[in-house]
């Protein structure tokens, strides 16, 4: 699991955060090239994108709107 800034450094490409399909494609390419089992990239208010190499499944999970009560943990 990494955020989009970290993922850009790992993947060596600029991720199009407004293009979920583009991120999924780059993620699948990277996971396959490195022999990883799965990877998740968080994209802030856009949610996250994931790829599972075992099943060959990529997807997007949008964020859930919540009311913030305490951000200090």
């Amino acid at each position: 699991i990494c955020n989009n800034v970290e993922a850009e450094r790992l993947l060596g490409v600029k991720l199009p955060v407004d293009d979920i399909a583009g991120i999924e494609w780059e993620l699948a390419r990277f996971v396959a090239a490195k022999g990883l089992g799965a990877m998740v990239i968080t994209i802030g208010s856009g949610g996250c994108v994931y790829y599972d190499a075992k099943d060959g499944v990529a997807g997007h999970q949008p964020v859930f709107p919540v009311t913030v009560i305490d951000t200090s943990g």
Side-chain angles (χ1 to χ4, degrees):
I1 299 174
C2 59
N3 65 39
N4 60 306
V5 174
E6 295 163 336
E8 287 176 347
R9 290 184 182 150
L10 284 171
L11 278 66
V13 297
K14 178 77 173 151
L15 294 175
V17 293
D18 58 341
D19 176 15
I20 299 301
I23 297 174
E24 290 174 347
W25 187 87
E26 290 290 351
L27 182 55
R29 181 190 62 78
F30 179 79
V31 168
K34 298 297 182 183
L36 302 175
M39 187 169 172
V40 176
I41 299 173
T42 62
I43 51 176
S45 63
C48 68
V49 176
Y50 59 89
Y51 181 72
D52 180 346
K54 179 182 175 191
D55 298 324
V57 175
H60 172 241
Q61 176 61 56
V63 297
F64 296 99
V66 297
T67 302
V68 177
I69 296 172
D70 182 3
T71 61
S72 64

